[in-house]
Amino acid sequence: MNFIYAIILFGFLIFIHEIGHFLAAKISGVRVLKFSIGFGPKVIGKRIGETEYLLSAVPLGGYVKMYGEEFGDEVIDERRSFKHQPVYKKIFIVFAGPLFNIIGAVFLFWIVFVHGVPVIKPVIGEVMENSPAYMAGLKTGDKIIEIEGQKISNWFDMAQFIQQNPNKNLNFKIERNGEIIQLQITPHGKEAKNIFGEKVFVGQIGIKPDEKAIFIKKEEPLNALNMSIKKCYEIVELTYLTIVKIFQRVVSTEVIGGPILIFQAAGKTAEQGLVSFLSFAAIISINLGVLNLLPIPVLDGGHILFFLIEAIRRKPLSEKFIAVSQKIGIAFLVALMMLAFYNDILRLLTGKMP
């Protein structure tokens, strides 16, 4: 089943990415010769109009083959040729693939938020002895409804607010047995580690949630759209920050995963339900879009970089320079893929997930 879920996931991600290139090319008046899901030998194919649509043997990618795309292509009709288009059109066509990955993620998160996600209510399940919460008089069963005038609807928002305000005297509004109580609590500042393993200073008051206080929160379609756009922005920002942290050696390269990890994770998230699987698919789609925009030759970001240089120089880069750059880019990607497979195999042997 992991294989089936992974194929569904890969198929969706590849289709979304390539349909972006395809539609942008059509809008720009560029002739599309082939639209393929997968690489390698053709499994099935059908020509419709001027385009041949293919399903190829290796389902780890895809491609859109455009008329006049490569240097050696013979071009008769320059109006329909990719390389004879203005720079802004070429950038638009190349950028559309990663953009559609982001748009696809927005759509997936929209489904998740409309369908409903499990949320923990800000109800206290346990108060630690001698903690700031204990000293202030918080009790098991209390519901935190407001902190410093800010409405609290779930445990995550409450915990985040407290963590961001160490050693500050905060006004809490509590609901206890139908009554509203006002309390002042000063979160104790404590050293902790963030998701990158860096030391940070956070506030804690010494409480644990009531694990039974869970409900499914469904959003109205318009609000769900706003939330999904915000969620995608946060993940894009986090993805770029993670890449920077890897180059800074703050984050270990062990976090890099490949197809094996995605196969495993696809199956596990599918077992957890529709919300988990769609959320995972959205995150991978964003990662694919972001990584493709890195300024590495062969990737979409590398092509965009070359087109920007072309716009500045007012003439294309030499074929020799691009060919050498692409070989370097391929070597880098092969090395990265080997590292990803190494990490995946190591995880299989040790049973550890990143």
Side-chain angles (χ1 to χ4, degrees):
M1 290 302 294
N2 284 13
F3 180 79
I4 294 173
Y5 293 130
I7 290 298
I8 293 171
L9 175 59
F10 276 118
F12 172 78
L13 297 180
I14 295 165
F15 176 78
I16 287 295
H17 184 90
E18 300 305 334
I19 201 68
H21 292 313
F22 176 83
L23 293 176
K26 288 290 188 180
I27 291 170
S28 301
V30 175
R31 181 182 173 189
V32 179
L33 303 177
K34 292 182 180 181
F35 179 97
S36 177
I37 301 299
F39 292 115
K42 177 177 72 174
V43 177
I44 56 173
K46 182 176 178 61
R47 178 171 293 278
I48 301 176
E50 63 185 16
T51 305
E52 183 181 11
Y53 298 89
L54 304 170
L55 183 63
S56 300
V58 184
L60 296 178
Y63 63 92
V64 169
K65 169 65 176 174
M66 292 174 284
Y67 176 64
E69 181 179 0
E70 298 177 4
F71 285 111
D73 290 346
E74 182 181 353
V75 174
I76 299 174
D77 185 0
E78 292 186 356
R79 293 178 307 168
R80 305 294 309 280
S81 166
F82 174 78
K83 67 182 177 183
H84 288 93
Q85 299 301 313
V87 170
Y88 76 90
K89 281 191 177 183
K90 290 190 283 190
I91 291 177
F92 168 61
I93 293 169
V94 173
F95 180 72
L99 177 63
F100 264 59
N101 279 125
I102 307 298
I103 293 173
V106 170
F107 174 69
L108 291 174
F109 275 128
W110 180 82
I111 295 175
V112 166
F113 290 130
V114 169
H115 178 272
V117 296
V119 175
I120 302 177
K121 296 179 182 179
V123 177
I124 298 172
E126 183 181 352
V127 180
M128 318 309 275
E129 287 190 14
N130 301 319
S131 66
Y134 180 86
M135 304 300 259
L138 276 179
K139 297 181 179 180
T140 298
D142 287 351
K143 182 179 180 181
I144 299 173
I145 58 176
E146 195 174 289
I147 305 177
E148 287 293 308
Q150 179 174 314
K151 299 292 183 183
I152 301 297
S153 61
N154 61 74
W155 188 271
F156 175 80
D157 289 345
M158 179 208 67
Q160 192 174 49
F161 191 96
I162 293 171
Q163 289 171 2
Q164 292 172 350
N165 292 277
N167 300 324
K168 292 182 181 179
N169 195 22
L170 303 178
N171 294 306
F172 282 67
K173 187 177 286 187
I174 312 297
E175 183 181 326
R176 180 185 295 167
N177 298 325
E179 296 183 6
I180 303 299
I181 301 172
Q182 303 260 5
L183 295 174
Q184 287 192 336
I185 308 174
T186 303
H188 173 65
K190 183 179 180 181
E191 192 177 87
K193 290 185 177 182
N194 61 16
I195 58 173
F196 301 115
E198 298 171 306
K199 291 182 180 180
V200 292
F201 201 63
V202 299
Q204 295 181 348
I205 63 173
I207 56 175
K208 293 182 179 180
D210 181 354
E211 296 181 356
K212 296 180 181 178
I214 298 178
F215 70 102
I216 302 299
K217 186 178 181 181
K218 298 183 178 182
E219 301 291 342
E220 294 295 325
L222 187 58
N223 191 43
L225 179 61
N226 290 332
M227 290 179 65
S228 60
I229 292 173
K230 181 181 177 182
K231 188 71 174 177
C232 287
Y233 176 81
E234 291 173 352
I235 296 173
V236 167
E237 189 176 39
L238 180 61
T239 303
Y240 273 116
L241 188 56
T242 301
I243 293 170
V244 171
K245 296 292 183 183
I246 289 174
F247 279 102
Q248 291 175 339
R249 297 187 178 181
V250 173
V251 175
S252 171
T253 54
E254 292 178 0
V255 302
I256 297 173
I260 297 174
L261 175 63
I262 295 175
F263 269 61
Q264 287 180 303
K268 288 184 178 180
T269 54
E271 289 174 2
Q272 294 168 3
L274 180 66
V275 167
S276 293
F277 182 70
L278 292 183
S279 298
F280 175 71
I283 292 170
I284 296 299
S285 186
I286 291 171
N287 275 262
L288 180 61
V290 169
L291 293 176
N292 260 286
L293 285 175
L294 293 178
I296 299 171
V298 179
L299 295 182
D300 292 331
H303 291 301
I304 291 173
L305 176 62
F306 289 160
F307 294 143
L308 290 174
I309 295 173
E310 178 183 336
I312 295 170
R313 297 175 74 239
R314 297 189 177 181
K315 63 178 181 179
L317 292 166
S318 69
E319 295 183 24
K320 184 178 179 180
F321 177 84
I322 292 178
V324 171
S325 299
Q326 288 182 336
K327 287 179 181 179
I328 294 172
I330 291 171
F332 176 81
L333 293 179
V334 169
L336 188 64
M337 185 60 70
M338 289 176 66
L339 175 62
F341 272 112
Y342 171 78
N343 287 342
D344 286 353
I345 293 169
L346 199 61
R347 291 186 192 104
L348 284 175
L349 296 176
T350 60
K352 293 181 179 179
M353 293 289 283

